[in-house]
């Protein structure tokens, strides 16, 4: 990746260089990208939110849906910036009203996420947000939930994308934006 030429490229490179890399977490052989180093820095956090919101400012987004838990860190403030409602996608048993659930595969088993059945009205323009795109399983399940509610998916936004894991391939039909790629 050559030298950054534009102010935006320089800013994204600065954000990337501030992410702490922790080897063998949560298990041996995994390199964990710790974004808490960005979150504790108010200028970096603000820059992330500006970059994530920028492509959607005039898109008429009506709901921002984000996946528990780190997706909430970005989803709620993005919803505020875009003048949209916020939809939490959570683990089973965490939402009090009627829900839809979607189960997806992980490299070490399965997981399930849920959303309230009345969270999105048919035809609403939805931006889905999470901190990380890896294999795409979590976001694929989130997309399934939004589609079941009748939401129109306008885009998928991530802070980090692990390109070697090819999560983007599972989500080809959607506009995908990630700020930082590894």
């Amino acid at each position: 990746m050559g030298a950054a030429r534009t102010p935006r490229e320089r800013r994204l490179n600065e954000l990337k260089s501030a992410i702490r890399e922790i080897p063998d977490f949560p298990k041996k052989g995994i390199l964990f990208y710790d974004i808490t180093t960005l979150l504790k820095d108010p200028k970096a956090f603000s820059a992330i939110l500006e970059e994530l919101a920028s492509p959607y400012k005039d898109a008429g987004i009506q709901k921002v849906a984000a996946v528990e838990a780190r997706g909430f860190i970005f989803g709620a403030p993005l919803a505020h910036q875009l003048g949209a409602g916020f939809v939490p996608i959570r683990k089973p048993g965490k939402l009090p009203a009627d829900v839809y659930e979607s189960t997806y595969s992980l490299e070490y088993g399965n997981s399930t996420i849920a959303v309230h059945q009345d969270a999105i009205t048919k035809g609403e323009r939805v931006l889905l947000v999470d901190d990380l795109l890896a294999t795409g399983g979590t976001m694929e399940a989130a997309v399934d939930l939004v589609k079941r509610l009748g939401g129109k998916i306008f885009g998928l936004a991530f802070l980090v994308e692990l390109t070697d894991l090819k999560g983007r391939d599972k989500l080809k039909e959607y506009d995908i934006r990630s700020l930082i790629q590894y």
Side-chain angles (χ1 to χ4, degrees):
M1 175 181 212
R5 296 181 193 132
T6 69
R8 180 177 186 270
E9 288 173 328
R10 283 193 296 277
R11 177 159 62 168
L12 292 176
N13 280 341
E14 287 171 12
L15 292 173
K16 185 175 184 176
S17 68
I19 294 174
R20 178 172 37 204
E21 296 179 7
I22 301 176
D24 298 323
F25 183 84
K27 64 182 187 177
K28 189 163 181 60
I30 301 289
L31 179 59
F32 186 82
Y33 297 100
D34 179 16
I35 63 169
T36 63
T37 51
L38 294 175
L39 300 176
K40 71 180 182 178
D41 178 341
K43 288 181 182 173
F45 188 50
S46 180
I48 291 166
L49 294 174
E50 286 174 28
E51 288 289 338
L52 287 172
S54 178
Y56 308 105
K57 286 279 188 196
D58 298 316
I61 300 296
Q62 295 167 288
K63 297 282 173 65
V64 173
V67 181
E68 181 174 353
R70 290 184 305 261
F72 291 4
I73 295 168
F74 305 107
L78 279 175
H80 175 74
Q81 284 187 359
L82 298 174
F86 176 70
V87 176
I89 299 176
R90 305 217 48 203
K91 295 174 184 162
K94 300 290 185 177
L95 295 170
D98 292 335
V99 298
Y100 288 125
E101 292 185 347
S102 187
T103 298
Y104 58 98
S105 298
L106 301 165
E107 63 182 274
Y108 45 86
N110 292 322
S111 193
T112 301
I113 53 176
V115 68
H116 275 141
Q117 290 180 5
D118 62 356
I120 296 168
T121 303
K122 186 175 181 172
E124 282 188 310
R125 293 168 66 89
V126 180
L127 173 64
L128 281 148
V129 178
D130 206 354
D131 67 318
L132 176 75
L133 175 58
T135 64
T138 304
M139 188 53 68
E140 187 176 40
V143 162
D144 172 61
L145 292 172
V146 170
K147 287 170 75 173
R148 277 201 259 167
L149 293 171
K152 182 178 179 198
I153 299 169
F154 190 79
L156 313 177
F158 304 90
L159 171 61
V160 174
E161 179 179 359
L162 304 179
T163 58
D164 286 349
L165 297 179
K166 303 196 184 306
R168 189 175 280 265
D169 292 351
K170 289 183 181 177
L171 306 162
K172 286 182 209 177
E173 68 183 273
Y174 304 102
D175 177 56
I176 300 171
R177 297 179 189 259
S178 57
L179 298 185
I180 298 166
Q181 294 83 31
Y182 288 98

